[in-house]
Amino acid sequence: NLTNLGNSPMLSANIAVNQWSNSSLENCNNISANSICSRGFRITVPKATVAGTYSVTFNGSWTNEDNSFASVINTTSITVNSNPQLRVEEGSIVDTVSHGQTKVVGTFNLNSTGNDLTSSIAYNNTGGTLPAAWITYSPASVSSLAAGANRTISVSVAVPIGTDPATYYTNITAYSDNLLRDWLWLNITVPTDRSWSRSPADFPLTLAETGGSGTVGTITLNNTGNVLLVWGISKSENDSQLMPQVGNK
């Protein structure tokens, strides 16, 4: 408020503020004797302002009837508290990783968005179906971040051989100063793999007497995929009648 306590009007009066306000100056025009000019100022402390006590100065000025200039100053103290904060920009990491594969599936950014040092930073996964043993972070830890600083964390996932095809999920939680700060989803799809192998590719030439029998060799079938496979084994070509009937495995 700018109050006229005199007997003469205050001409071309205004109220100015030195910092942090939504308006730096508000006009009051002319203020008659024993009247008040009331104006509102919204004070917003800038992001990352260091903790401490700050002064916001309001300056009321006007012109008297004799054309002389006058002013009055009021100072308000504002205390900014320490407020360390940690935020994660990303909402999720989504990727596909085959069984038996290790892959960098993405990154997330830790941002120190408060006004003070963020310390005792930790990140790990909680809940869901994706085991913690599959996940590796690089760097493995971050001790602290200054106000306004950020750090990129790389996430690798190693899916064991033979893992069932499915979508596995968990959330990565970020902590600082022993408080939960933020989190993001980690969704990994393990696709179906029906691959298999056979050995040997063929048998060497075998000489046998008429009426004789025996084992020519062993065929090994290897399921290298991640789902159950049912094999059908059959015989063909001109010597197939010499082999006994074989069945499915």
Side-chain angles (χ1 to χ4, degrees), residues 56-78:
V56 176
T57 300
F58 296 88
N59 184 8
S61 60
W62 66 93
T63 302
N64 295 311
E65 285 187 309
D66 61 1
N67 288 325
S68 62
F69 179 79
S71 64
V72 61
I73 291 176
N74 175 274
T75 299
T76 298
S77 294
I78 296 177

Side-chain angles (χ1 to χ4, degrees), residues 88 90-92 126 170-174 180-185:
V88 177
E90 297 75 14
S92 64
T126 57
T170 187
N171 60 57
I172 299 172
T173 37
L180 171 62
R181 299 297 186 179
D182 210 349
W183 63 278
L184 72 155
W185 285 110

Side-chain angles (χ1 to χ4, degrees), residues 78-99:
I78 296 177
T79 299
V80 178
N81 295 325
S82 171
N83 184 31
Q85 292 289 327
L86 187 68
R87 291 290 178 264
V88 177
E89 288 184 4
E90 297 75 14
S92 64
I93 295 175
V94 180
D95 206 345
T96 297
V97 183
S98 298
H99 73 109

Side-chain angles (χ1 to χ4, degrees), residues 125 127-135 168-170:
N125 76 299
T129 58
L130 201 161
W134 294 8
I135 307 171
Y168 299 85
Y169 68 93
T170 187

Side-chain angles (χ1 to χ4, degrees), residues 116-160:
D116 208 344
L117 180 75
T118 302
S119 57
S120 302
I121 297 173
Y123 36 89
N124 52 48
N125 76 299
T126 57
T129 58
L130 201 161
W134 294 8
I135 307 171
T136 302
Y137 303 100
S138 180
S141 63
V142 176
S143 59
S144 62
L145 285 173
N150 65 82
R151 187 69 181 270
T152 299
I153 310 301
S154 175
V155 182
S156 297
V157 171
V159 178

Side-chain angles (χ1 to χ4, degrees), residues 33 40 42 102 171:
R42 185 175 67 250
T102 299
N171 60 57

